[in-house]
Amino acid sequence: MLEEVLIRHSAPTLAGLKTANLFWYSWESREEFENSLTFWKGIFQEKGLDITIMRTTDQRALLYVNRRKKLEEDLSREKTRGMLKAKGYHYSDAKEAIRILQNKLQTCEKFPHEIGLFLGYPEDDVEGFIKNQGKNCKCCGCWKVYCNECDAQKMFHKFKKCEVVYEKLFLKGRPVQQLIVAA
């Protein structure tokens, strides 16, 4: 069920701690998946979130869950705009930037590592990852850290705690809709 996967892979975003999450979702019935996705799009829209299919294969979809306002803020920072422009992103708003990323995910052979900017990762860490080709990081958690290790470790701990709490609440019967912090 999609709600189970949302809890497992997007708790920090649902809680308002993180800009976005990206994860694969496998389905048995494409029609059931599309109905479920339509339902969640409605719920998310009411709460200031969005869910987008970034890529599909035969029986799975790469889903991108984000907090619209936070993503808009992240993508309008000067350094982020410059980094994305250097990677071929010319956009006026977050929706347009997402469409460019979506196109890259569907058509490029190489994974677009600037995706970290769409997930709320620190610009310096995304830059460090690209420059070092994923090697030589100070530590690793939700992302590879190249700059402020102490702050990153605190965030990783916060995200993990959120995931544990959300999973416990969900397993005790709390509906996902009640766990989403409105923007």
Side-chain angles (χ1 to χ4, degrees):
M1 290 178 63
L2 184 53
E3 61 184 6
E4 224 174 284
V5 178
L6 286 169
I7 286 293
R8 194 173 322 119
H9 295 289
S10 295
T13 299
L14 300 178
L17 300 176
K18 195 169 181 287
T19 299
N21 284 90
L22 183 75
F23 57 90
W24 283 100
Y25 176 75
S26 299
W27 65 77
E28 289 181 28
S29 159
R30 175 89 185 212
E31 184 181 347
E32 186 179 308
F33 165 66
E34 288 172 356
N35 290 337
S36 185
L37 190 64
T38 300
F39 171 79
W40 284 105
K41 278 182 178 268
I43 298 289
F44 281 4
Q45 186 154 8
E46 291 173 13
K47 304 274 191 171
L49 283 85
D50 198 13
I51 184 168
T52 306
I53 298 173
M54 300 302 281
R55 183 180 180 169
T56 57
T57 62
D58 290 339
Q59 285 200 278
R60 62 187 198 146
L62 183 61
L63 298 177
Y64 177 62
V65 173
N66 72 81
R67 293 193 154 265
R68 289 189 308 258
K69 188 176 178 185
K70 179 73 174 118
L71 180 64
E72 200 68 62
E73 290 169 7
D74 288 358
L75 296 182
S76 43
R77 287 195 308 261
E78 190 175 332
K79 184 171 182 175
T80 297
R81 288 188 80 82
M83 290 171 69
L84 290 174
K85 186 176 182 184
K87 296 285 185 182
Y89 291 77
H90 302 282
Y91 59 94
S92 55
D93 62 18
K95 277 188 178 185
E96 195 174 354
I98 290 170
R99 279 193 296 275
I100 296 166
L101 175 62
Q102 194 175 37
N103 184 55
K104 283 185 170 212
L105 285 165
Q106 293 171 3
T107 61
C108 294
E109 284 184 33
K110 292 178 93 181
F111 192 80
H113 294 297
E114 68 274 8
I115 199 166
L117 299 170
F118 289 82
L119 297 169
Y121 300 171
E123 297 156 326
D124 292 339
D125 289 335
V126 173
E127 198 171 53
F129 183 89
I130 293 168
K131 204 177 283 183
N132 290 281
Q133 298 176 325
K135 298 174 185 151
N136 307 318
C137 64
K138 291 181 179 182
C139 71
C140 208
C142 297
W143 65 85
K144 290 190 175 182
V145 178
Y146 291 87
C147 291
N148 198 335
E149 185 178 1
C150 186
D151 285 351
Q153 291 284 10
K154 287 177 188 172
M155 286 305 280
F156 297 159
H157 178 73
K158 214 185 254 190
F159 294 163
K160 190 67 184 162
K161 187 174 182 179
C162 173
E163 290 165 1
V164 168
V165 168
Y166 268 49
E167 189 167 355
K168 280 182 184 176
L169 291 170
F170 178 72
L171 291 173
K172 286 182 180 177
R174 181 88 52 94
V176 175
Q177 297 92 312
Q178 288 182 10
L179 294 173
I180 299 171
V181 174

